[in-house]
Amino acid sequence: MNEPVIEHGFAKVAAGLWLVGASQPTAAVGSCLPRALKGLLVPDRSMLHLVEVAEWATCGSAKRPFLTQVPCAAPLTAVSAKVLLAPAEAREKAQVLRVIPFSFRNALCVTHFASEWVVLATASRTTRISLKENELLTARVESAVAWTTAAPTGFLPRIGLWDVLAPRQRARNLMLHFYGPGVVWLEGSDAS
C-alpha cells in the first residue's frame, strides 16, 4: 500500500481509492471522484467519504494543522472527526460511542480501522501513551484522538437524572477512562 508523504501540514497520496475527511482532498491532480459511504447505518457518513484519485492528491486542514500518521498494527479506533486520510480498505466499521450511558449527550462518532495506517489531523500536537495490563488512563473527552484499547467509559464526578434526560450544556468535567493494555493518542485540551 502506498504510504502518504507528510510535509508542511499536508499529506500527499498517489492514485487510488482513499477514505478522507470532510472537505478533503484540498487539491488533486487529475480526476478526483468523491463518493459517499454506503450502508444503512453509517454514523461517520457526514465526516468521512471515499475519493478515487487518478494521479495524486494532497489533504490538509486549516483548523487542525497537526498531522499524525498512526500505523494500524492492531485494530485501531479513531474519532471520526479527526481522521484526515486512510486507505479505503482499512475502514472496518463505525459506531457512536456513548460517553454518558443511555444518552447521546457528548457522544463520539468513532471509526474502526483493521489494517494499514491512518493520518489524523488535530488542533494541537499529539502524544502517544502506552498502557500496561489493567492500567487506567483518565483523559478529557475532547482530547481523545485514537486508541487500541477496549472502548473507553465515560466518567463524570457527579451525574444527575436531568443530565441523562434533558441535557442542556456540555459537562466541563466529563472524562474518559481507558483501560490497558493498549495505546492511546491524545491532543491538548481547551478550557473554553
Side-chain angles (χ1 to χ4, degrees), residues 105-192:
R105 181 180 176 188
N106 299 320
L108 293 173
C109 180
V110 296
T111 304
H112 299 275
F113 296 94
S115 61
E116 304 299 333
W117 49 264
V118 178
V119 176
L120 303 165
T122 55
S124 72
R125 296 188 188 277
T126 58
T127 186
R128 179 183 184 270
I129 300 171
S130 296
L131 299 176
K132 297 175 187 159
E133 185 74 36
N134 297 325
E135 194 171 15
L136 172 69
L137 174 71
T138 303
R140 294 204 167 274
V141 172
E142 63 271 10
S143 294
V145 176
W147 54 89
T148 61
T149 65
T153 58
F155 172 74
L156 188 61
R158 182 174 169 237
I159 186 168
L161 183 61
W162 287 112
D163 288 325
V164 175
L165 298 178
R168 283 187 227 125
Q169 65 182 10
R170 186 173 183 90
R172 286 187 223 163
N173 294 325
L174 189 59
M175 306 291 250
L176 289 174
H177 284 325
F178 293 93
Y179 300 94
V183 180
V184 179
W185 285 265
L186 301 169
E187 69 172 319
S189 60
D190 189 3
S192 59

Side-chain angles (χ1 to χ4, degrees), residues 49-63:
H49 60 270
L50 296 171
V51 170
E52 190 170 347
V53 176
E55 292 185 40
W56 62 265
T58 184
C59 299
S61 174
K63 292 184 179 177

Side-chain angles (χ1 to χ4, degrees), residues 87-109:
E89 60 271 7
R91 181 184 179 273
E92 196 172 47
K93 64 179 180 176
Q95 73 180 67
V96 176
L97 178 68
R98 293 184 186 189
V99 179
I100 298 174
F102 309 111
S103 173
F104 282 103
R105 181 180 176 188
N106 299 320
L108 293 173
C109 180

